[in-house]
Amino acid sequence: MAKKLFIGSSGIVCLLLVVLLPLLSPAAKTNTADHSSEIDVESCYGCHDEIRNLKEKSKHAKLSCTTCHGKLQEHLANFEDKPATDIDQNLCGTCHGNELKGLMSVNYKAQARKEKGVPNGRSPMMDKLLEPYGFTFEHNEPRSHAFMVTDQFVVDRFAGGRYQYKRGWHDVTSVGRTWDILEDTGKTLPESAKAGNPTCIQCKTSDHILKWKFMGEKDPAAKWDRTSDIQAVAKDTHNPVGCIHCHDPHGTQPRIVRDALIKRVAMDGSPMFADKNGKTSLTVIDFRDFRKIGIQAKADSRMMCAQCHVEYACGPGYEFNSGKKIGFDDPRTNHFPLTGPKELLAHYKKLNFYDFKHAVTGARLVKLQHPEAETFHASIHDRNGVTCADCHMPPEKDATGRSYRNHGVIRPLHDVKAACLGCHPDSTVEIKLSEIEAIQNYIRGKMRKSEYWLGRLIDTYEVALRKGVPESILAKAREKHEEAHVLWEWWTAENSDGFHNPELARETLAASITASKAGVALLGKAMEGKPRAGRK
């Protein structure tokens, strides 16, 4: 009886939320329209048929358009008078509180400002191997999604160090709106860089979704584009990535919004997320020739997470064949390859794009980002139907018994029971933890050896250059450097230390070592019989 009463009362509460949400939500406070006057939904559907298709028969079908939109009466009177749109995740949290709480949670086991290029870091030789690229000033391991924006803005390579925590180190664990936590000191710190670009920020926030045209192209209706001043974009960035990156607000359908991923999957035909028939079930919807979204037939967190957890080109670069500089006006500065480590260098050569030249060898190097999606592709877990959400967003129950997925995006190492034992019930936390650590220990060893041989190649090249080894030989050594670099850095940029695909990690790191050794041998043979540097 009590259960029936609870179910009945829950239904009444849900009904009241549907009716009252437009009045109670933050949208009612931020939008200037009179939310007490309902809008006939057919008035909206008359021009927005794509919204009708998304909204009708969905879980949000009964929600009024005024839930998220204001100034609708003005918009109906003059379509050029755009409505106000509330995309704050706190509005979603009105009904989805568990998910919002998880999204903004802090994993205190994930350390802040954990630099990769230190002796006990993921890449101890990073400074040498990436010289003179901006990432050498500070390149940290990631934390919770709640820190996606603030961690990016305070890093020494982003804005010359001018953005700092308002309360000093006390704010390193603060979550919330960006400029409640950070301040612009206006001061540039020594040993810092002024890297950063508007395309990169589109992964870290949902704030610009209505201000950014598809692929970041210039448009009078777009406030920001690829060429916009990065500091101005930063000042307009107030929240980390929100619910609408993965969930359509009109109809709750699973979706993707990152333009370069939509282009690569649905328009260029990348097979990375294809089903057994070789096709990807992604429906692309075009909004007024301004932006596009990709609606999934069913939720695929591999693709949702690939909006950010991929290798991508977003900064300026150079052409392989000519050395010509590539600026933000070029669409190649918003590109997802969606290829594996073995194919990546060939892909970028075909695209005719590289990031920088190494300070010593002059090799044309690609700066990799965080290719978790490509690494996981075709791994043993992927082949068995496991997705990112299964391990990183396990199901939980709240105090009322309601099931939901943890949107805190856990690290399996920190909660082996939730991440692993659902599929491995015959195992134990201790066993699985030991297996994970064994894989990572093994791959870290290969990463170190790969770094060592890249360092040997750089040092040998420097000596060969001083000894006057012919340019034809040096050019071949640079090509070996380019090959070895991609196969090594993939694994320092990817954040699982090989666990997502240990077989691929071993194969490619071994190939990196082989390429570096070949370059060293090539230069060594060319130097045979030549006097030591500095002697006549």
Side-chain angles (χ1 to χ4, degrees):
M1 182 64 180
K3 183 177 180 180
K4 290 182 179 179
L5 286 172
F6 174 75
I7 294 173
S9 62
S10 297
I12 294 171
V13 169
C14 290
L15 180 61
L16 285 172
L17 278 174
V18 169
V19 175
L20 297 177
L21 182 57
L23 301 176
L24 299 176
S25 70
K29 299 175 183 178
T30 58
N31 292 339
T32 59
D34 181 3
H35 287 271
S36 62
S37 59
E38 282 297 325
I39 297 293
D40 181 7
V41 70
E42 291 299 328
S43 300
C44 300
Y45 289 162
C47 295
H48 300 281
D49 194 53
E50 70 277 8
I51 303 302
R52 179 198 297 272
N53 296 332
L54 289 168
K55 197 169 186 295
E56 291 300 302
K57 298 182 180 180
S58 77
K59 294 179 180 179
H60 279 185
K62 294 183 179 180
L63 286 182
S64 169
C65 299
T66 59
T67 302
C68 300
H69 297 288
K71 297 185 178 180
L72 291 182
Q73 295 291 359
E74 295 89 334
H75 178 58
L76 288 171
N78 178 10
F79 75 92
E80 292 186 350
D81 191 354
K82 300 299 182 185
T85 303
D86 191 336
I87 60 173
D88 192 333
Q89 52 258 49
N90 288 305
L91 176 58
C92 302
T94 307
C95 289
H96 303 284
N98 290 324
E99 289 80 2
L100 178 61
K101 182 180 179 182
L103 177 66
M104 300 305 293
S105 63
V106 177
N107 176 7
Y108 291 103
K109 293 180 181 178
Q111 299 176 33
R113 310 299 285 264
K114 188 178 181 183
E115 170 68 62
K116 291 183 179 181
V118 295
N120 63 343
R122 179 170 290 148
S123 178
M125 292 177 63
M126 176 170 289
D127 290 354
K128 180 173 185 174
L129 303 189
L130 293 185
E131 187 184 4
Y133 203 67
F135 274 63
T136 58
F137 289 99
E138 186 179 2
H139 186 20
N140 300 318
E141 293 187 16
R143 292 198 289 166
S144 307
H145 283 181
F147 299 110
M148 290 176 76
V149 174
T150 53
D151 277 1
Q152 174 77 3
F153 288 0
V154 300
V155 73
D156 284 347
R157 71 171 183 271
F158 179 72
R162 61 189 269 188
Y163 300 138
Q164 296 292 324
Y165 295 115
K166 286 184 175 180
R167 299 187 305 133
W169 291 101
H170 295 293
D171 270 332
V172 77
T173 55
S174 295
V175 298
R177 292 178 64 82
T178 305
W179 302 107
D180 290 340
I181 299 168
L182 304 183
E183 63 180 350
D184 183 357
T185 66
K187 299 177 181 178
T188 299
L189 298 178
E191 288 300 309
S192 62
K194 294 182 179 180
N197 60 79
T199 301
C200 177
I201 300 301
Q202 304 315 308
C203 273
K204 295 172 172 59
T205 183
S206 306
D207 286 359
H208 310 309
I209 194 167
L210 300 177
K211 308 171 187 177
W212 177 269
K213 187 174 182 176
F214 186 69
M215 298 305 295
E217 296 291 341
K218 283 182 175 292
D219 191 285
K223 182 176 182 180
W224 307 120
D225 60 67
R226 295 191 307 268
T227 68
S228 295
D229 174 59
I230 181 56
Q231 306 313 330
V233 176
K235 293 295 182 64
D236 193 39
T237 303
H238 303 282
N239 303 284
V241 65
C243 314
I244 60 174
H245 245 65
C246 299
H247 306 282
D248 187 79
H250 297 106
T252 73
Q253 295 89 348
R255 74 175 190 176
I256 60 173
V257 298
R258 274 295 282 119
D259 45 12
L261 180 61
I262 293 172
K263 182 178 185 301
R264 192 79 181 116
V265 170
M267 301 167 72
D268 295 347
S270 171
M272 182 155 287
F273 301 106
D275 58 23
K276 294 180 180 179
N277 297 322
K279 297 181 180 180
T280 302
S281 56
L282 192 71
T283 301
V284 178
I285 300 176
D286 192 307
F287 289 88
R288 298 287 190 270
D289 195 31
F290 184 77
R291 64 185 180 93
K292 292 176 172 55
I293 63 170
I295 297 294
Q296 297 180 340
K298 62 178 182 179
D300 184 350
S301 59
R302 298 173 309 157
M303 196 187 302
M304 291 174 175
C305 296
Q307 296 185 92
C308 303
H309 293 270
V310 291
E311 155 57 15
Y312 59 88
C314 65
Y318 305 87
E319 292 187 340
F320 266 102
N321 62 358
S322 68
K324 178 184 175 183
K325 187 172 178 59
I326 298 171
F328 289 115
D329 58 326
D330 193 301
R332 285 174 289 185
T333 58
N334 188 9
H335 177 74
F336 285 14
L338 286 191
T339 60
K342 293 182 288 185
E343 301 80 23
L344 187 65
L345 182 58
H347 177 91
Y348 273 121
K349 284 186 174 181
K350 184 177 179 181
L351 186 68
N352 205 13
F353 180 96
Y354 71 90
D355 288 282
F356 70 105
K357 283 187 176 182
H358 190 269
V360 175
T361 69
R364 301 159 297 180
L365 302 182
V366 174
K367 173 65 192 79
L368 278 84
Q369 307 304 324
H370 23 63
E372 284 83 39
E374 304 96 307
T375 300
F376 185 74
H377 173 67
S379 66
I380 187 170
H381 281 107
D382 187 32
R383 296 195 302 270
N384 281 279
V386 178
T387 68
C388 310
D390 293 322
C391 302
H392 295 282
M393 302 173 65
E396 295 184 359
K397 289 186 178 181
D398 62 17
T400 68
R402 175 182 174 273
S403 295
Y404 66 98
R405 281 199 177 273
N406 183 334
H407 279 58
V409 191
I410 69 168
R411 294 187 178 186
L413 273 174
H414 299 159
D415 195 345
V416 175
K417 181 179 179 180
C420 305
L421 298 192
C423 292
H424 300 280
D426 296 332
S427 189
T428 66
V429 169
E430 290 76 17
I431 291 173
K432 282 299 163 193
L433 184 60
S434 180
E435 291 172 355
I436 294 171
E437 290 175 339
I439 291 170
Q440 293 183 325
N441 288 340
Y442 179 69
I443 299 305
R444 287 185 193 119
K446 299 302 179 186
M447 290 163 64
R448 295 294 181 273
K449 295 180 190 334
S450 179
E451 284 197 351
Y452 167 79
W453 280 103
L454 267 170
R456 276 282 302 272
L457 176 56
I458 292 168
D459 292 341
T460 306
Y461 184 99
E462 191 170 22
V463 174
L465 185 64
R466 291 200 303 267
K467 284 192 172 188
V469 168
E471 169 59 23
S472 59
I473 302 298
L474 294 176
K476 290 180 181 179
R478 288 195 297 271
E479 289 182 355
K480 289 299 179 183
H481 185 184
E482 291 162 6
E483 177 185 349
H485 174 90
V486 168
L487 298 173
W488 155 73
E489 205 207 349
W490 181 284
W491 302 103
T492 67
E494 204 274 341
N495 287 294
S496 74
D497 286 338
F499 180 78
H500 283 146
N501 199 329
E503 291 77 18
L504 181 65
R506 194 213 181 280
E507 179 184 358
T508 50
L509 286 167
S512 174
I513 294 169
T514 300
S516 291
K517 285 183 175 180
V520 170
L522 180 72
L523 294 170
K525 184 175 181 180
M527 288 188 288
E528 288 179 359
K530 289 184 176 291
R532 292 184 180 181
R535 292 186 180 183
K536 294 183 180 180

